[in-house]
Amino acid sequence: MLQTTDREQFIKFDHRAATQAVAISIAGQPLDAIAPVGLRPPLVSFVLICWNYAQYVAETIASIRAQDYPQFECLVIDNGSTDRSGDEIVRAIEQDERFKVITFDENLGHLGAALWALDHIKGSFVTFVDADDVLFSNFASTHVQVHLALPRSVALTSSNVLEINADGGIITSQYDKFGFGVADRYCFRDAHILPRLSTVSEDHFGILNARTLVRKASESGWCWAPGSANMFRRTVLNFCRIADGQTKRMRAADNHFNHLSHAIGGTALIDFPSSAYRHHQANYFSNSETLPGLRRGTRAYVAQATSNRAETVECVLRNSTDFNWLLPGRYWSLIDQLGQMGMAVPPFAKDPHIIAAFTRHITQICAEFGYRATFKEITKRFSTATARSIFKQGLSSSEYGRVGKYFRRAKIKKFFSLKVKE
């Protein structure tokens, strides 16, 4: 059982941040003047996950405390660190009551800790912060403003990054794969009718309007900046849960949340740097800056990609009833989209991890779609032998009897079609 220590040692509030209150206006009128019923800017939840990053975590915390958007909370998770990370975290937070520290006695993995955090935060928008990255002071303002300004709401926003080395030196001015394959640019709604944040200047608002791309939910492949550069709608993250938040998930949170959240509600890409992404030898994902034509991840990360992808697909298979209701008519295309995920791994239909996931959940899928429709969709995506194995191993004998007739009919149909060609 996971053990946690709740380090709520903070008594004083950071009054300097509190005095920098963010205001919202519509058509130049303060919102509290035209709607004096307690409306307020949305709460942002930062979830800072640290595992043995004592060297960097204080800088990351300082960058969160420096946000010009004070309407935030920050849950700091010391994810089973064995170095001095815990001491560095407490020292860096000082007595800022917007921060709460939880210490795990073991490392749940980045995604495991992120899933646990979903039950312990309150924000409408969520950013999972890597403990070696640095957020710019206008990060939250930028992302919240884009969320509120788009003509259609999206599941997540992702801003470009500066890539830095272990010492903080800038080594690139952008993430090479950011916006890859995305051509659509949507202008914001008319500036006079959308909620405007007082922390976003006219000049910055104009830049964001000109530099924001929108990617449709049906489009696949990696196009985001990694890790801390993303801000999610909390309601969408709730649909992306894999388990109960008590299980180790040794993979990056963005590898799961970005793909699935985007497939649910689409992405807005802000082609403007709002954070710095650090490369160093302890970074599991990537040790060097992104360059055209080179793999983005480390060898260990790429080797893990196949099972990572299958885990996300299995989330949709396990919750077929919910996702079929949530995305009417899109369930099977969602499976296909997540099955590819733009990674250099074996083809979807030959992936043993995904085949095993279908086998584990085939009974539930048949209950949701019916035997005939499920047979049709499974045989579209797998060979006859593989499809037969999925049904035979995953269903009871009586259930398989209902599907077996479809295999027999397909075999007879194929036999006669060959005879006609002869």
Side-chain angles (χ1 to χ4, degrees):
M1 179 65 68
L2 174 67
Q3 298 294 320
T4 66
T5 301
D6 191 346
R7 283 178 161 175
E8 294 188 89
Q9 303 176 354
F10 317 122
I11 301 173
K12 296 181 180 179
F13 187 79
D14 188 345
H15 295 285
R16 291 172 298 175
T19 59
Q20 302 172 357
V22 58
I24 292 183
S25 62
I26 298 179
Q29 300 185 68
L31 189 60
D32 58 2
I34 59 178
V37 290
L39 301 184
R40 60 183 63 87
L43 179 67
V44 171
S45 292
F46 292 111
V47 178
L48 173 57
I49 302 171
C50 179
W51 180 66
N52 289 344
Y53 273 178
Q55 181 180 353
Y56 308 112
V57 68
E59 291 183 8
T60 304
I61 291 172
S63 74
I64 297 174
R65 294 186 67 189
Q67 292 297 299
D68 62 12
Y69 185 92
Q71 192 73 10
F72 75 83
E73 63 175 4
C74 183
L75 175 62
V76 183
I77 297 177
D78 184 356
N79 201 12
S81 297
T82 56
D83 63 0
R84 65 181 192 283
S85 291
D87 294 335
E88 290 294 324
I89 289 169
V90 172
R91 181 183 64 80
I93 290 174
E94 297 178 352
Q95 294 176 323
D96 192 331
E97 288 186 334
R98 295 171 299 179
F99 289 75
K100 179 178 180 180
V101 183
I102 297 294
T103 301
F104 293 164
D105 65 348
E106 61 179 327
N107 183 4
L108 285 188
H110 195 260
L111 179 57
L115 290 166
W116 183 91
L118 291 180
D119 290 324
H120 300 85
I121 54 177
K122 301 176 181 178
S124 299
F125 296 98
V126 182
T127 290
F128 300 102
V129 184
D130 294 337
D132 55 346
D133 291 347
V134 176
L135 304 184
F136 297 168
S137 61
N138 61 359
F139 177 90
S141 291
T142 293
H143 281 259
V144 171
Q145 182 63 86
V146 171
H147 271 287
L148 298 180
L150 290 169
R152 296 289 184 273
S153 298
V154 294
L156 73 150
T157 51
S158 182
S159 55
N160 216 329
V161 298
L162 301 181
E163 295 182 289
I164 61 176
N165 60 22
D167 298 324
I170 299 173
I171 50 180
T172 76
S173 63
Q174 64 176 337
Y175 188 70
D176 180 59
K177 298 299 182 181
F178 186 84
F180 185 77
V182 181
D184 292 337
R185 184 180 72 84
Y186 284 11
C187 293
F188 293 162
R189 300 179 68 207
D190 190 305
H192 293 92
I193 63 173
L194 60 85
R196 290 288 306 276
L197 301 183
S198 61
T199 49
V200 177
S201 68
E202 290 290 338
D203 287 343
H204 191 52
F205 183 85
I207 292 172
L208 297 179
N209 194 9
R211 302 296 298 177
T212 298
L213 309 171
V214 172
R215 193 186 200 201
K216 297 177 182 178
S218 58
E219 297 175 336
S220 61
W222 187 273
C223 65
W224 310 277
S228 310
N230 305 289
M231 183 177 284
F232 302 86
R233 286 187 179 274
R234 168 68 181 277
T235 51
V236 175
L237 290 177
N238 288 336
F239 287 109
C240 300
R241 293 173 180 263
I242 293 178
D244 60 2
Q246 296 286 327
T247 307
K248 291 184 179 181
R249 302 286 175 183
M250 309 303 289
R251 58 186 285 203
D254 60 1
N255 181 262
H256 172 69
F257 286 131
N258 283 41
H259 286 284
L260 186 49
S261 295
H262 167 75
I264 291 172
T267 298
L269 297 164
I270 309 166
D271 193 8
F272 187 90
S274 294
S275 60
Y277 179 73
R278 194 186 303 268
H279 296 277
H280 52 90
Q281 291 305 307
N283 188 317
Y284 175 68
F285 173 72
S286 180
N287 293 328
S288 63
E289 66 269 29
T290 55
L291 296 171
L294 299 183
R295 288 187 186 273
R296 287 172 288 155
T298 62
R299 184 184 296 272
Y301 185 88
V302 172
Q304 185 68 24
T306 302
S307 60
N308 287 350
R309 178 184 64 172
E311 188 174 50
T312 298
V313 171
E314 185 162 12
C315 174
V316 179
L317 296 175
R318 182 187 300 110
N319 300 289
S320 56
T321 300
D322 293 335
F323 278 101
N324 188 39
W325 175 85
L326 179 68
L327 302 170
R330 282 191 54 206
Y331 181 84
W332 292 101
S333 62
L334 173 64
I335 291 290
D336 292 338
Q337 183 176 340
L338 297 174
Q340 297 299 331
M341 281 175 58
M343 296 185 180
V345 292
F348 176 35
K350 297 181 181 179
D351 187 334
H353 300 86
I354 291 181
I355 294 171
F358 269 93
T359 303
R360 283 190 289 270
H361 302 287
I362 194 64
T363 297
Q364 181 179 344
I365 297 170
C366 287
E368 176 65 22
F369 296 98
Y371 292 100
R372 184 174 183 178
T374 303
F375 168 82
K376 185 177 180 180
E377 297 296 343
I378 295 295
T379 51
K380 279 182 182 178
R381 291 162 177 81
F382 299 95
S383 68
T384 300
T386 300
R388 189 188 299 275
S389 175
I390 289 172
F391 285 111
K392 195 166 187 176
Q393 293 184 40
L395 298 178
S396 66
S397 299
S398 59
E399 290 174 324
Y400 180 71
R402 298 186 181 186
V403 180
K405 61 183 179 182
Y406 298 122
F407 282 105
R408 292 191 293 272
R409 290 174 186 175
K411 186 175 181 180
I412 293 171
K413 185 176 180 180
K414 182 179 180 180
F415 173 77
F416 281 106
S417 66
L418 292 174
K419 283 293 186 180
V420 171
K421 289 180 181 180
E422 290 177 358

